[in-house]
Amino acid sequence: MITTVTFITGRPVSCRSKIQMGIRNIVSHSGAGFMPAKVAVVTKTTRYEFEQQRYRFAELSEEDLKHLLAMKGSSYSGLLERHNIHTRSVEHIVDSLKKEGVEVRVMRRGEYNEETVRWADAIISAGGDGTMLLVASKVFDKDKPVVGVNTDPERSEGHLCLPVRYTHSFPEALQKFRRGDFRWQWRQRIRVHLEGTGINPSPADLHEQQLSLEQHNKFHRIIAGDQRRPGAENYSVAGPLLLPVRGLNEIFIGESLSSRASYYEISVDDGPWEKQKSSGLNVCTGTGSKAWSYNINKLVDQAVEDILKIGKAQNGLSVPLDKDLVEKLTKEYNQSLIFDPEDCRMFFSIREPITNRVYSCSLQRGFASKVCIRSRCWDACMVVDGGTSFEFNDGAIATITMSEEDQLRTVILTD
């Protein structure tokens, strides 16, 4: 099995060069090895830590916490066990680095900031994909390697992390890095320019905050209010403003209240504007094509079987409706939704579009180089990689594109 992990350094191959060479997936050997002198290890917040923080102001004892978790149907001992597994994995990573003479700083994800990125020669994300996305979101230096380690593989998928075996044998991974025994791959990222009226470009960080809808809205109002104070910068922006985040997985735009239809206008690749109502818009990279976008668009066996039955009844479709064929067709279709992380295109998906004489949806999904959205929403947000939220209400315009400047260099290690 081959798994990828983000490793940012060197110069990327341009999208144009890839097309000219006629190669869709360029993977090259690393050549020289790598061993950083200073490493920041950013750790996830375990569920056990989250529950402790959640009730810390109530000054609950451990016994009180046990009782409260039991009432909610959660196991205190189970959460503590998973926390200890994660902690031991972090200790293994840190000890392995120190034995190589590396200076190490360990911090929780809430403490991770731009100063940490400047200090470190490399950054290790110790957690799952969510922690990896957070760590990568603050790295804009193409020479700054970022490595993901899945600290609890039994409970976390970790597509963006090292193969599972290196969780417990991290020294082996370090030796491969030192020898240059890995391969490079560039991951594309999405950038967003925001313009229009009533724009609030300040983000709400959702990584550490489990915000309710009311708290989320209040958070944006507080930011906007702070920026309206005398002497503060006006939060209304007329011209295009490049947001200080990049999407490694996807950008999602929609009403904060999921039961409310999202109203907006959309233009794909500078085409005509189209009025739409839907459950929101997802724009993903090749990396994100395995994540939310995949689950939005995938088919299940039941749907494929029903379509084949209709085709057989209506047009005498001569196909055997056996389980193997249905599963094969379903798998092949779903695999077609996944594309290469180096692909220079984005993939957009309209979730549950409403079509009538007022609203249309000429294309529910497809590849694009540029997507423009004009909000007509009442209480909407634009969320980057599920962790950074921007207010996106009536009058706001987002231009979603890719740039070679934003690529992340990744390393591939074999299992």
Side-chain angles (χ1 to χ4, degrees):
M1 181 181 71
I2 294 180
T3 306
T4 58
V5 54
T6 305
F7 223 78
I8 312 166
T9 183
R11 293 188 60 189
V13 179
S14 71
C15 293
R16 181 176 297 178
S17 297
K18 294 177 189 177
I19 295 172
Q20 289 173 345
M21 293 169 67
I23 300 175
R24 179 172 180 267
N25 180 18
I26 297 177
V27 182
S28 59
H29 289 282
S30 62
F34 172 79
M35 182 58 68
K38 297 181 293 184
V39 170
V41 178
V42 184
T43 69
K44 73 175 183 180
T45 301
T46 65
R47 174 70 186 279
Y48 172 76
E49 291 174 317
F50 170 74
E51 294 292 352
Q52 281 190 322
Q53 294 170 15
R54 187 179 183 185
Y55 298 107
R56 68 183 182 276
F57 295 115
E59 298 182 350
L60 293 181
S61 65
E62 286 294 301
E63 286 300 319
D64 291 335
L65 183 59
K66 286 182 185 179
H67 180 67
L68 183 60
L69 290 173
M71 290 178 62
K72 296 196 301 180
S74 298
S75 169
Y76 172 88
S77 59
L79 296 183
L80 182 59
E81 179 186 3
R82 306 322 301 183
H83 171 76
N84 290 336
I85 289 173
H86 162 75
T87 301
R88 287 194 293 271
S89 296
V90 172
E91 291 172 349
H92 175 64
I93 294 168
V94 173
D95 290 344
S96 302
L97 289 167
K98 289 183 175 179
K99 286 179 180 178
E100 294 289 338
V102 178
E103 183 181 353
V104 183
R105 286 185 185 178
V106 182
M107 64 195 63
R108 294 182 179 179
R109 52 189 290 168
E111 302 166 334
Y112 175 61
N113 54 32
E114 287 74 11
E115 189 280 327
T116 301
V117 176
R118 289 191 295 270
W119 172 84
D121 297 322
I123 303 168
I124 292 178
S125 162
D129 285 342
T131 308
M132 185 67 181
L133 290 171
L134 168 70
V135 170
S137 71
K138 297 184 186 299
V139 177
F140 294 94
D141 182 355
K142 294 177 182 177
D143 296 324
K144 191 79 64 173
V146 180
V147 178
V149 181
N150 190 343
T151 55
D152 190 3
E154 290 184 10
R155 296 297 179 92
S156 177
E157 193 66 31
H159 291 291
L160 300 176
C161 300
L162 292 173
V164 170
R165 65 186 300 266
Y166 297 111
T167 297
H168 305 295
S169 58
F170 194 66
E172 185 179 344
L174 290 178
Q175 291 307 312
K176 287 191 173 185
F177 293 153
R178 185 186 291 277
R179 296 193 302 267
D181 188 13
F182 55 89
R183 293 182 293 164
W184 296 117
Q185 182 184 57
W186 286 98
R187 289 183 183 269
Q188 299 287 341
R189 289 197 293 182
I190 295 173
R191 58 167 52 190
V192 180
H193 284 86
L194 211 54
E195 59 184 306
T197 59
I199 300 300
N200 179 4
S202 299
D205 187 353
L206 307 182
H207 283 290
E208 281 296 305
Q209 304 176 62
Q210 300 293 324
L211 298 178
S212 67
L213 176 60
E214 181 181 358
Q215 290 171 321
H216 178 267
N217 295 343
K218 183 178 179 181
F219 188 94
H220 278 300
R221 286 195 297 270
I222 290 173
I223 291 176
D226 286 345
Q227 292 186 339
R228 290 191 189 104
R229 292 178 304 178
E233 183 181 353
N234 193 310
Y235 87 114
S236 293
V237 178
L241 174 70
L242 178 61
L243 296 182
V245 292
R246 302 293 182 269
L248 180 56
N249 265 357
E250 78 273 312
I251 307 291
F252 175 77
I253 294 174
E255 287 280 0
S256 299
L257 188 62
S258 60
S259 60
R260 181 185 293 153
S262 302
Y263 175 25
Y264 53 87
E265 298 169 27
I266 182 172
S267 168
V268 177
D269 289 334
D270 293 321
W273 287 89
E274 186 174 71
K275 289 183 180 180
Q276 290 187 352
K277 266 192 176 182
S278 71
S279 296
L281 168 73
N282 180 292
V283 183
C284 79
T285 65
T287 299
S289 65
K290 291 184 178 180
W292 194 359
S293 175
Y294 177 82
N295 288 286
I296 289 173
N297 295 294
K298 72 177 181 181
L299 292 178
V300 295
D301 291 345
Q302 182 181 2
V304 173
E305 184 177 4
D306 288 345
I307 291 171
L308 290 176
K309 285 180 179 178
I310 293 172
K312 195 168 187 178
Q314 294 291 327
N315 299 312
L317 187 64
S318 180
V319 292
L321 295 179
D322 60 83
K323 182 180 178 182
D324 289 342
L325 176 63
V326 170
E327 290 180 350
K328 181 180 179 180
L329 292 176
T330 304
K331 182 178 180 180
E332 187 167 338
Y333 173 82
N334 290 341
Q335 281 296 119
S336 72
L337 300 172
I338 300 173
F339 60 104
D340 196 273
E342 292 187 350
D343 199 312
C344 307
R345 301 169 298 169
M346 305 175 294
F347 189 78
F348 69 92
S349 306
I350 311 298
R351 297 179 65 206
E352 303 163 345
I354 298 171
T355 55
N356 52 37
R357 63 182 181 83
V358 178
Y359 303 104
S360 60
C361 183
S362 57
L363 193 61
Q364 186 172 350
R365 66 180 70 90
F367 286 100
S369 298
K370 178 181 179 182
V371 178
C372 294
I373 307 293
R374 180 185 290 119
S375 176
R376 298 302 182 204
C377 297
W378 292 101
D379 185 20
C381 57
M382 175 170 57
V383 182
V384 182
D385 285 340
T388 307
S389 172
F390 295 87
E391 197 172 8
F392 193 69
N393 291 321
D394 190 21
I397 301 173
T399 301
I400 305 171
T401 58
M402 283 182 167
S403 171
E404 293 180 10
E405 300 174 15
D406 302 325
Q407 296 178 86
L408 299 181
R409 197 171 191 178
T410 61
V411 66
I412 299 176
L413 284 179
T414 54
D415 215 352

